Amino acid sequence: MLNVVRSLAPVAGDTRGQLVVGQISLTNFRNYHDVRLNIAATPVVLTGANGSGKTNLLEAISLLVPGRGLRRAALRELQNQKSSEPWAIAVDLSTPYGALHIGTGSDPETGDGDRRIVHIDGKNVRGQNALAEHMAMAWITPDMDRVLAEGPSARRKLLDRLVYGFDPAHNGRVHRYEKALRERLRILREGPADAAWLKALEDEMAQTGVAIAAARRHMVQQLRTGIATTTSAFPRADLELKGLAEEALENQPALLVEDSLREALARTRGDDAQSGTCVCGPHRSDLVVIHRLKQCPADLCSTGEQKALLIALMLAHVRILTSIRQMPPIFLLDDIAAHLDDIRRASLFEELRTLGTQAWLTGTDTEPFASLLPHAQHGVVEFGQVIWL
Amino acid sequence: MLPLIEAMTAAVHQVQSCSICGNLGGNDPCEICSDPLRDRTTICLVEDVADLWALERSHAFRGLYHVLGGTLSALEGVRPTDLRIDQLIDRLKEGSVKEVILALNATVEGQTTAHYVAERLAPSAVAITKLAHGLPVGGELDYLDDGTLTAALNARRKSA
């Protein structure tokens, strides 16, 4: 049976100079069968029970930037289980540079759901990076709540994702670096190692590794600036980027750092062969986050403080994106009210309004959003349908 | 269907790999290696026969080829001995070749293999060059990704 839902609410507000999803249509996407939503520029608050489809809607929006979305799900997971027709997302956007229509979905020609196609203004574009030219986005999800305590790998990935928001080529560099790293380890493990082959891989690692380190270092500098300009109730964080290449770039030109990394990799071949890991390179770097007032590393702070630090970091990121892209990014905040006290919640809502970003906030209860609702578009999500209040 | 079946059967029996360059054709040596009008001082190194024919279609290169037969990949189990690198070194020992052009893909495997081959050929007196990366013919600057633009800038040349 065709379950067509048309959830319409009047579009309101002045969207000039903003990046705004004006209309979104979901077809066979997760638990949405066929839904079209008209959205205002004001913050959008979505409430509803667990499993109703709030995060699915945010995930659909997150697929409007390059990558695998906020859940990092495999493409075939996005398919509505009750339909064999390919999933699709269509969005009408207002941007400071004009109106834009973006469509993305499973490629019907491959049939296995493993390929995503992207249309911009009706034209098929090659690759997803073209989306980054038109879109800017940031998100916070419950999965990220403990990211500052999880260890260097999680913090590094967070930082790389922030870089990726500015520079879509960063993902390609990280992919190249990691591929060369795995190849080198395989050769060392299998032995006897071919010196020329290792040298070729280490050259690739040195070149891409220093480019990665430089991009991360630039991002951290920007974040420090973003944190310095905040007036919100969220804690200030001191950021430090630890890593051989990142630290060397402080006072050495990139080509010299490349040489140093190349030499370090050649020098540690024996150790790496024995340990089965690579002991130096940007894959070992760490973003150290310190609660400035408490002078306490983030991983030793309470769960609430960690979330507050993460939000402070993401707000700084949004401020930088706004400044560089000359338009506030779309900001997705999934289940955001958890772990925040009243003062910080109010401060977050105030900051979202000041930033001028089209924020999408979700939660199971309405009460935490009470102070925001008079200024927001509020929808209740039930079984893949949205009812505007 | 019969003519098609016969043609395919004939192809299976007649197509062979050139013992000099690794190209596929009806003769050994292949038409390119046998062609006396080809420039025998330059060899273009390609990953596979499809790349060779892509270059041939351009009519831009009149030298000889060497088909490597793949690219190095420890993860896929392709080692230097699986590629036709030693055969290339043997060809250079004949002394007539002055330049080897590395025409490998801009992937991690392609560039690692190019680096490796350059390292292996370094002791010879042959000039090692590689294809430029950059602005495609008919391309518009504002549609290019940052990596391609950077490569194009780095490979810039004097105008006239």
Side-chain angles (χ1 to χ4, degrees):
Chain A
M1 189 179 76
L2 191 68
N3 174 24
V4 179
V5 177
R6 292 277 185 261
S7 303
L8 299 172
V11 177
D14 184 357
T15 62
R16 281 176 298 180
Q18 282 188 281
L19 179 63
V20 171
V21 172
Q23 186 182 77
I24 180 166
S25 303
L26 304 178
T27 308
N28 298 320
F29 181 83
R30 294 238 187 225
N31 67 334
Y32 291 91
H33 184 62
D34 184 5
V35 174
R36 179 176 295 164
L37 305 171
N38 283 345
I39 310 297
T42 51
V44 181
V45 175
L46 300 167
T47 54
N50 292 330
S52 56
K54 305 182 297 295
T55 307
N56 292 347
L57 187 46
L58 264 52
E59 184 182 33
I61 297 166
S62 73
L63 290 166
L64 301 176
V65 288
R68 288 164 57 191
L70 55 75
R71 281 193 177 113
R72 298 189 55 74
L75 287 179
R76 58 182 59 185
E77 290 175 30
L78 307 178
Q79 178 66 40
N80 183 300
Q81 296 304 307
K82 292 178 183 168
S83 173
S84 56
E85 293 298 308
W87 63 269
I89 302 162
V91 172
D92 286 332
L93 279 173
S94 292
T95 82
Y97 312 105
L100 199 69
H101 180 82
I102 294 179
T104 186
S106 175
D107 185 352
E109 288 183 11
T110 59
D112 54 9
D114 281 342
R115 189 165 165 264
R116 172 150 87 105
I117 49 173
V118 177
H119 285 198
I120 297 177
D121 276 344
K123 290 181 185 161
N124 194 13
V125 296
R126 200 164 152 254
Q128 298 171 26
N129 281 355
L131 289 169
E133 291 174 25
H134 306 283
M135 290 291 292
M137 201 177 293
W139 59 72
I140 304 176
T141 67
D143 287 347
M144 295 161 68
D145 282 358
R146 299 282 294 166
V147 71
L148 299 180
E150 275 178 4
S153 170
R155 290 190 290 268
R156 208 165 44 238
K157 280 182 184 156
L158 172 69
L159 181 59
D160 281 336
R161 220 193 64 219
L162 299 186
V163 176
Y164 190 33
F166 288 94
D167 178 7
H170 185 71
N171 203 33
R173 286 194 288 267
V174 172
H175 181 73
R176 284 181 78 98
Y177 177 84
E178 288 178 347
K179 195 165 192 182
L181 171 81
R182 288 196 302 273
E183 292 260 329
R184 177 179 175 272
L185 280 176
R186 175 69 70 91
I187 295 167
L188 287 172
R189 198 162 54 234
E190 289 180 348
D194 184 316
W197 194 358
L198 286 172
K199 195 176 169 200
L201 288 166
E202 286 161 2
D203 187 65
E204 174 74 34
M205 286 174 70
Q207 284 184 36
T208 51
V210 170
I212 291 165
R216 286 176 182 163
R217 195 169 155 269
H218 183 62
M219 185 75 244
V220 168
Q221 285 168 341
Q222 301 262 33
L223 284 171
R224 286 182 186 135
T225 309
I227 289 167
T229 56
T230 185
T231 54
S232 73
F234 288 92
R236 302 272 179 110
D238 286 323
L239 306 178
E240 196 181 338
L241 192 53
K242 288 196 167 172
L244 178 85
E246 286 88 345
E247 288 169 38
L249 283 167
E250 289 281 342
N251 46 29
Q252 285 180 32
L255 287 178
L256 267 185
V257 181
E258 268 184 30
D259 289 342
S260 302
L261 183 53
R262 214 176 270 116
E263 285 163 21
L265 288 165
R267 202 172 48 244
T268 54
R269 284 176 192 169
D271 293 340
D272 291 351
Q274 281 200 330
S275 66
T277 58
C278 182
V279 295
C280 62
H283 62 286
R284 309 284 286 196
S285 306
D286 189 11
L287 173 68
V288 179
V289 181
I290 309 272
H291 189 301
R292 186 180 298 173
L293 194 64
K294 294 185 174 177
Q295 280 301 297
C296 177
D299 51 342
L300 300 179
C301 290
S302 71
T303 308
E305 291 286 17
Q306 282 178 34
K307 179 137 188 177
L309 281 166
L310 175 70
I311 292 173
L313 211 58
M314 294 308 294
L315 286 171
H317 179 61
V318 168
R319 271 191 292 276
I320 300 160
L321 270 173
T322 305
S323 160
I324 291 176
R325 299 293 301 272
Q326 295 292 300
M327 59 182 179
I330 290 169
F331 197 7
L332 311 176
L333 302 104
D334 190 24
D335 200 13
I336 194 64
H339 303 301
L340 286 185
D341 58 35
D342 290 345
I343 295 171
R344 283 190 176 143
R345 207 179 298 135
S347 179
L348 173 64
F349 297 160
E350 180 56 34
E351 181 114 15
L352 292 178
R353 291 177 59 198
T354 309
L355 285 167
T357 174
Q358 188 189 42
W360 293 68
L361 305 96
T362 70
T364 48
D365 301 313
T366 305
E367 193 274 329
F369 300 104
S371 65
L372 185 64
L373 289 182
H375 315 283
Q377 181 171 340
H378 181 201
V380 174
V381 185
E382 286 178 357
F383 306 110
Q385 302 179 22
V386 181
I387 299 135
W388 297 114
L389 300 180
Chain B
M1 289 294 283
L2 201 58
L4 179 64
I5 293 168
E6 284 170 357
M8 288 179 75
T9 307
V12 167
H13 288 108
Q14 288 172 13
V15 169
Q16 51 191 318
S17 179
C18 174
S19 56
I20 299 173
C21 73
N23 185 19
L24 294 176
N27 301 307
D28 182 18
C30 68
E31 287 177 7
I32 296 172
C33 289
S34 313
D35 185 348
L37 299 177
R38 288 275 179 169
D39 174 7
R40 296 188 171 271
T41 65
T42 310
I43 289 180
C44 185
L45 182 70
V46 292
E47 185 180 324
D48 53 34
V49 177
D51 292 346
L52 184 157
W53 284 107
L55 284 161
E56 274 300 279
R57 279 196 300 274
S58 73
H59 300 293
F61 178 67
R62 296 299 299 160
L64 302 175
Y65 292 95
H66 191 85
V67 180
L68 209 45
T71 49
L72 292 174
S73 173
L75 298 174
E76 299 296 328
V78 183
R79 307 185 72 83
T81 47
D82 298 319
L83 304 177
R84 302 180 69 254
I85 297 170
D86 289 338
Q87 289 90 326
L88 175 63
I89 293 169
D90 288 343
R91 285 179 77 180
L92 301 188
K93 283 176 186 164
E94 291 167 11
S96 55
V97 176
K98 305 291 179 212
E99 180 183 0
V100 173
I101 303 167
L102 306 176
L104 300 174
N105 293 324
T107 57
V108 174
E109 292 88 348
Q111 292 308 294
T112 301
T113 308
H115 196 290
Y116 177 85
V117 171
E119 195 77 16
R120 290 282 307 272
L121 301 188
S124 70
V126 174
I128 313 293
T129 59
K130 62 178 185 178
L131 293 187
H133 299 155
L135 192 64
V137 174
E140 293 179 40
L141 285 182
D142 59 347
Y143 282 102
L144 290 184
D145 64 276
D146 293 348
T148 307
L149 265 179
T150 307
L153 268 173
N154 290 342
R156 68 189 184 278
R157 290 191 307 191
K158 251 186 177 176
S159 178

